[in-house]
């Protein structure tokens, strides 16, 4: 049975311009005498007054909640494609991720998503070379043997190596996407994503199911990678790479960060 809180938070998450920070404010400041269903009846002025948000943001919420098809379409696609989902209020939502700043209001996944797994992130360059592959091949089996779940971003290069060696070692792995689950990116990794799901892991997204991958989505993806993990291992990353963005998020979130050394003249060291 899906609760009114879950449905309303899902609906809010689908409204363009209403992100996890705004939804977090609504969750934190919802008065006890205001039900989740009441949000559909409140005016923009009332929303702005109650939740101390701008009138422009409140108007977006009012207009978005008035569009019932927005929610109905998403629910139909979720059901049709056997996609699991939870809100930040639910027990099925990863516990570590709940405690970062502005956690995603909704997570979608295929496969099995453990809420209490001992997880570690492995991230690195899409251009990771033979050295990066060897390092990941050395590290992952030992981590799996110690019951670590391997989290990465599902990209080509280092991410793919991390997922592949976790599977080869009989371990569990989770891929976090920068797109909706019905638009998996990169396309080249669809078979890898299927293998992850079929071997007890999960493919996860914070984006509506038909959302295409866009450059602006990947910082949000990287925050989830860091937020779901107790530590982050960086393997071959350029100075301005998404992998270092993930490492910085991990540091901000109080996680351990580990850097694999490399040749001093290698731009990925």
């Amino acid at each position: 049975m899906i609760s009114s809180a879950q449905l309303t938070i899902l609906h809010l998450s689908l409204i363009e311009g209403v992100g996890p920070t705004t939804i977090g404010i609504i969750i934190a400041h919802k008065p006890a005498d205001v039900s989740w269903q009441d949000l559909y009846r409140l005016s923009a002025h009332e929303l702005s007054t109650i939740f101390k948000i701008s009138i422009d943001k409140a108007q977006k919420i009012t207009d978005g909640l008035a569009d019932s098809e927005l929610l109905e379409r998403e629910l139909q696609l979720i059901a049709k494609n056997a996609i699991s989902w939870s809100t930040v209020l639910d027990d099925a939502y990863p516990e570590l991720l709940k405690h970062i700043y502005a956690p995603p209001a909704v997570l979608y996944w295929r496969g099995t998503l453990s809420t209490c797994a001992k997880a570690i992130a492995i991230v690195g360059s899409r251009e990771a070379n033979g050295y990066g592959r060897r390092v990941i091949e050395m590290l992952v089996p030992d981590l799996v043997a110690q019951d670590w779940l391997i989290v990465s971003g599902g990209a080509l290069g280092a991410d793919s190596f991390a997922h592949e060696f976790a599977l080869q070692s009989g371990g569990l792995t989770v891929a976090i996407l920068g797109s909706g689950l019905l638009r998996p990116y990169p396309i080249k990794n669809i078979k890898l994503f299927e293998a992850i799901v079929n071997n007890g892991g999960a493919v996860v997204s914070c984006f509506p199911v038909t959302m295409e991958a866009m450059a602006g989505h990947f910082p949000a993806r990287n925050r989830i990678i860091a937020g779901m993990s107790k530590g982050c291992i960086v393997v071959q990353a350029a100075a301005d790479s998404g992998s270092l963005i993930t490492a910085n998020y991990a540091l901000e979130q109080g996680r351990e960060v580990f850097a694999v050394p490399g040749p001093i003249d290698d731009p990925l060291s």
Side-chain angles (χ1 to χ4, degrees), residues 103-119:
V106 175
L107 280 186
Y108 304 82
W109 68 91
R110 281 179 156 159
T112 303
L113 183 61
S114 173
T115 58
C116 57
K118 189 171 73 169

Side-chain angles (χ1 to χ4, degrees), residues 193-206:
F193 299 149
E194 291 173 352
I196 289 170
V197 169
N198 292 336
N199 285 275
V203 178
V204 178
S205 173
C206 68

